[in-house]
Amino acid sequence: MYVNTKEILEKASKNYYAVPAFNINNLEFLIAILQGAAEKKAPVIIETSEGAIKYAGNGDPLRGAKFFVETVKNYAETLDIPIALHLDHGKNLEYIAAAIKAGYSSVMIDASHEVFEKNLEITKEVVKWAHASGVSVEAELGQLAGIEDNVMAEENVLVDPEQAKIFVEKTGVDFLAPAIGTSHGAFKFKGEAKLDFERLKKVKELTKIPLVLHGASSVPKKFVELAEKYGANLGGAKGVPQEDIKECVKLGINKVNTDTDLRIAFLAGLRKHLLENEKEFDPRKYFKQGMEFVKEVVMERLEFLNAAGKA
Ligand SMILES: O=C(COP(=O)(O)O)NO
Ligand SMILES: [Ca+2]
Ligand code: NA
Ligand SMILES: [Zn+2]
């Protein structure tokens, strides 16, 4: 069933487990994710960036947003697991408005590159707007290094827990993404992974709302090696160790944003199938292996976040 993200996350926050938010851009990833979630009898959050909406709508935000709402709702109504649709890293008010209008479960307003007061102001506006339509809201404090969708954030700016308390009280935001040292993409750390668990613990104590971990892909060696075996060049790829993510969940993370892991799994399957089946030209066949690897990553993540069986 199609539900509000807040419903999924409040339950997770009360019981100290987490639900993955998987990014999609097309139908193949959606089908693979939902197969995995249904098999694991788990709640799941489907999320799309503004770029994904632009891609599916061929440049028109409302067309793209409607495509994802209708497609996800269509599947959700035929599955007895809770499924929410979330706008990831909303920055452009036209896209946020389109997502609210089309019927997304929730939207992220990412104004974390602005100064604190500006981020607070913008977030407060979006919360008023979204809540008027029954849509829940995620916001971000601090910055992740690496390319944050379309904003190049140079270095990690870690969240200030005291600021987080004020921010949540003043904006009424439903869930918060505190930057604690992760970054987006496949090349997260030069050396060892370093997350600021103490800081995360404080944010949870001071805000008491569901929290979101961005840049949470683990970059599974198995699929990096398989993709490289069939010609990919992902040298130096490094993600967040699973035990670090488990620690974050213990400390109050409830939504775990996962995009890169699915991309690498799909890539490995696609390359493998194409290079081993040079006569194949049916996309339903040459996408299949990639979809199966995506489903495998989805099921593993639902297990280790303890979302499995929580539908
Ligand atoms: O934070 C993410 C995904 O991060 P990854 O690149 O680690 O999958 N989306 O908002
Ligand atoms: Ca940001
Ligand atoms: Na998000
Ligand atoms: Zn993110």
Side-chain angles (χ1 to χ4, degrees), residues 34-283:
L34 294 180
Q35 283 174 345
E39 215 162 297
K40 285 292 175 185
K41 298 191 175 19
V44 70
I45 299 163
I46 303 295
E47 63 181 11
T48 66
S49 64
E50 290 180 346
I53 290 176
K54 188 172 184 182
Y55 176 80
N58 193 23
D60 178 320
L62 189 55
R63 193 164 53 197
K66 280 182 174 174
F67 169 81
F68 285 120
V69 169
E70 281 150 23
T71 308
V72 171
K73 264 187 172 167
N74 202 359
Y75 274 94
E77 266 137 33
T78 57
L79 292 169
D80 55 2
I81 53 171
I83 299 167
L85 175 63
H86 174 75
L87 170 66
D88 190 26
H89 288 293
K91 291 194 175 78
N92 176 328
L93 296 186
E94 197 187 352
Y95 279 82
I96 294 175
I100 292 172
K101 189 163 187 296
Y104 270 59
S105 310
S106 55
V107 295
M108 177 183 189
I109 166 62
D110 179 358
S112 77
H113 46 285
E114 305 282 358
V115 294
F116 179 72
E117 290 69 21
K118 188 111 177 3
N119 183 0
L120 196 151
E121 265 325 299
I122 296 170
T123 301
K124 210 164 134 192
E125 274 307 297
V126 171
V127 167
K128 258 206 306 278
W129 211 12
H131 283 185
S133 306
V135 173
S136 43
V137 181
E138 173 186 332
E140 186 169 66
L141 277 177
Q143 280 189 26
L144 284 76
I147 315 257
E148 228 186 60
D149 223 29
N150 46 17
V151 175
M152 184 64 206
E154 290 309 315
E155 76 301 329
N156 276 316
V157 176
L158 299 178
V159 63
D160 170 342
E162 295 300 330
Q163 274 192 350
K165 179 173 166 41
I166 298 163
F167 187 87
V168 167
E169 280 162 3
K170 294 211 165 152
T171 59
V173 72
D174 300 290
F175 31 105
L176 180 71
I180 55 168
T182 57
S183 58
H184 291 110
F187 311 97
K188 295 184 193 296
F189 305 98
K190 301 243 176 337
E192 276 317 296
K194 220 167 58 51
L195 302 188
D196 194 329
F197 296 116
E198 268 319 298
R199 206 177 281 263
L200 170 58
K201 193 160 178 281
K202 283 207 197 82
V203 171
K204 190 73 173 186
E205 279 159 9
L206 293 171
T207 61
K208 300 184 179 39
I209 64 167
L211 299 179
V212 185
L213 186 67
H214 281 252
S217 277
S218 298
V219 185
K221 234 162 93 70
K222 167 183 172 183
F223 290 120
V224 170
E225 286 171 357
L226 195 62
E228 292 191 322
K229 182 177 168 201
Y230 290 97
N233 175 358
L234 299 171
K238 186 165 176 49
V240 183
Q242 287 194 0
E243 60 272 9
D244 285 4
I245 296 177
K246 282 179 90 96
E247 181 62 20
C248 289
V249 176
K250 263 200 230 128
L251 296 171
I253 288 285
N254 308 107
K255 174 174 178 271
V256 174
N257 284 17
T258 310
D259 187 2
T260 297
D261 286 352
L262 304 192
R263 295 182 178 201
I264 292 176
F266 189 81
L267 177 72
L270 180 63
R271 283 183 166 275
K272 178 173 188 308
H273 189 92
L274 286 179
L275 291 179
E276 289 177 349
N277 301 273
E278 61 280 1
K279 292 200 176 68
E280 188 55 77
F281 60 94
D282 177 345

Side-chain angles (χ1 to χ4, degrees), residues 27-29 31-33 35 265-266 269 284 287-296:
L27 182 63
E28 285 70 25
F29 281 65
I31 290 174
I33 293 161
Q35 283 174 345
F266 189 81
R284 291 163 301 177
F287 282 157
K288 198 164 182 311
Q289 185 60 73
M291 288 166 73
E292 278 166 14
F293 286 164
V294 167
K295 179 181 171 183
E296 187 182 320

